Amino acid sequence: MIKLIASDMDGTLLDSHMSVTPENAEAIRFATQAGIEFMVATGRNYQEARAALDEVGIDCAMITLNGAQVFDKEGNSLFTVAIPHQEAALVLDILDQNKIYYEVSTNKGLYSESQAKRIESFASMVATHLPHLTYKMAIAMASANLELLHINYIDSIRDLLQQDEEIEVLKIICFHNEGPSVLGPVGKQIDELGNLTVTSSGQNNIEVNHKNAQKGIAVAHVANDRGISLDDVMTIGDNFNDVSMLQVAGVSFAMGNAEIDVKEYAKYTTATNLESGVGKAILRAIAEDL
């Protein structure tokens, strides 16, 4: 019997407006009323994730930044898994050498060195998840997102890491419009540094975390704290940063819009994020006692 559900957000729980659909919200409440805990496991930071959940009044625990930071239902940080400054600097060296735009999520907020590139990169990511949007619409959505999300624009992230010993690097996300042809080789370089994991939440990005900051590890940690067997955990996702949690759960669903290779890791497939696939998966799992 399912006792814990962990769902990804972008391309999974969220629709074309980056919102939780009424059908998804209703299914989550139904599961909660049945005694099943729901939580999100996302590459987003806390502030980004919280905004979409607040729109529909969902209060839940959150695995954020791919597992680098976990919060309880009240928003208290339970634990973090950071990238050491020395290794973070090596990653930035590789990215700078390849002229790749990046952002750094930390325990003190999100940092970028260029607002223009931030908008361009976020628009490209939105267009990947929502191919029906025009580029102008994606740019408009990206600009609106900036108004909701506080981002620290600074001249040098590298200087910040050197000057502030208390800052913790939780995730480095990198964007390039040419996608895998450029980011693939760069990801391999970073992977060879050791102690890091490189995943992706879209064709135009790669995400760098400490090797122990993975959604699957975080889901297992939360389940263990709850005294829940992984056989009684359900996970839902669509992209490569979801693979680790699809692998550990007793019940796993890939979205209908998931990457083909990602679907190979899931036991079941549901509808797309535009068709409230998360809600359908939850109701199916409960009805069929998966």
Side-chain angles (χ1 to χ4, degrees):
M1 176 181 175
I2 293 170
K3 298 179 181 178
L4 174 67
I5 299 172
S7 173
D8 173 49
M9 294 190 74
D10 293 284
T12 301
L13 181 63
L14 305 183
D15 64 9
S16 61
H17 301 290
M18 294 294 179
S19 298
V20 180
T21 66
E23 183 177 346
N24 283 344
E26 184 177 347
I28 291 168
R29 293 190 183 98
F30 180 76
T32 301
Q33 291 168 3
I36 301 170
E37 181 178 359
F38 175 85
M39 67 185 305
V40 294
T42 178
R44 292 182 173 214
N45 63 31
Y46 181 84
Q47 185 181 8
E48 286 180 292
R50 185 73 266 162
L53 297 173
D54 284 344
E55 288 180 356
V56 291
I58 293 176
D59 290 318
C60 63
M62 290 191 286
I63 295 169
T64 65
L65 301 172
N66 293 334
Q69 194 163 34
V70 178
F71 296 87
D72 65 16
K73 186 176 179 179
E74 287 71 37
N76 302 306
S77 178
L78 300 180
F79 65 86
T80 61
V81 183
I83 301 172
H85 282 202
Q86 185 175 357
E87 292 186 20
L90 293 175
V91 173
L92 299 190
D93 285 342
I94 293 173
L95 298 177
D96 286 337
Q97 289 164 9
N98 288 275
K99 298 180 180 179
I100 293 175
Y101 170 72
Y102 53 83
E103 299 168 9
V104 177
S105 294
T106 77
N107 60 325
K108 296 186 178 182
L110 177 64
Y111 291 86
S112 168
E113 295 177 350
S114 172
Q115 183 174 17
K117 288 184 179 179
R118 209 286 165 173
I119 293 175
E120 179 184 349
S121 298
F122 189 84
S124 180
M125 183 182 72
V126 169
T128 297
H129 285 298
L130 307 171
H132 65 285
L133 293 182
T134 65
Y135 187 69
K136 285 186 177 180
M137 292 171 65
I139 286 289
M141 186 174 288
S143 298
N145 174 268
L146 289 182
E147 295 179 4
L148 297 174
L149 178 65
H150 179 67
I151 303 174
N152 302 292
Y153 293 103
I154 58 178
D155 293 332
S156 174
I157 294 174
R158 191 183 302 276
D159 288 348
L160 173 69
L161 299 184
Q162 291 176 345
Q163 295 166 6
D164 189 346
E165 294 182 357
E166 295 183 358
I167 200 164
E168 294 181 307
V169 177
L170 303 179
K171 186 180 82 167
I172 302 171
I173 184 167
C174 328
F175 298 91
H176 199 284
N177 289 336
E178 294 181 27
S181 63
V182 172
L183 295 175
V186 169
K188 288 181 180 179
Q189 276 187 271
I190 295 172
D191 191 57
E192 290 172 357
L193 295 176
N195 295 320
L196 301 174
T197 183
V198 180
T199 58
S200 173
S201 59
Q203 288 293 314
N204 75 325
N205 74 54
I206 56 174
E207 303 182 0
V208 183
N209 289 93
H210 188 279
K211 67 178 181 180
N212 292 329
Q214 298 184 48
K215 291 184 181 183
I217 294 174
V219 166
H221 185 100
V222 171
N224 182 66
D225 280 353
R226 305 286 197 274
I228 298 173
S229 166
L230 287 172
D231 289 337
D232 298 326
V233 173
M234 171 177 164
T235 55
I236 316 169
D238 76 305
N239 225 308
F240 292 101
N241 62 342
D242 300 315
V243 168
S244 64
M245 72 173 181
L246 295 178
Q247 289 177 306
V248 302
V251 177
S252 56
F253 277 87
M255 300 298 293
N257 53 286
E259 295 288 337
I260 294 176
D261 290 342
V262 173
K263 291 180 179 180
E264 297 296 322
Y265 292 96
K267 295 180 180 178
Y268 305 95
T269 302
T270 185
T272 70
N273 65 312
L274 303 184
E275 301 166 322
S276 299
V278 167
K280 289 179 171 62
I282 291 174
L283 296 180
R284 176 187 172 186
I286 294 174
E288 299 181 13
D289 193 22
L290 296 180

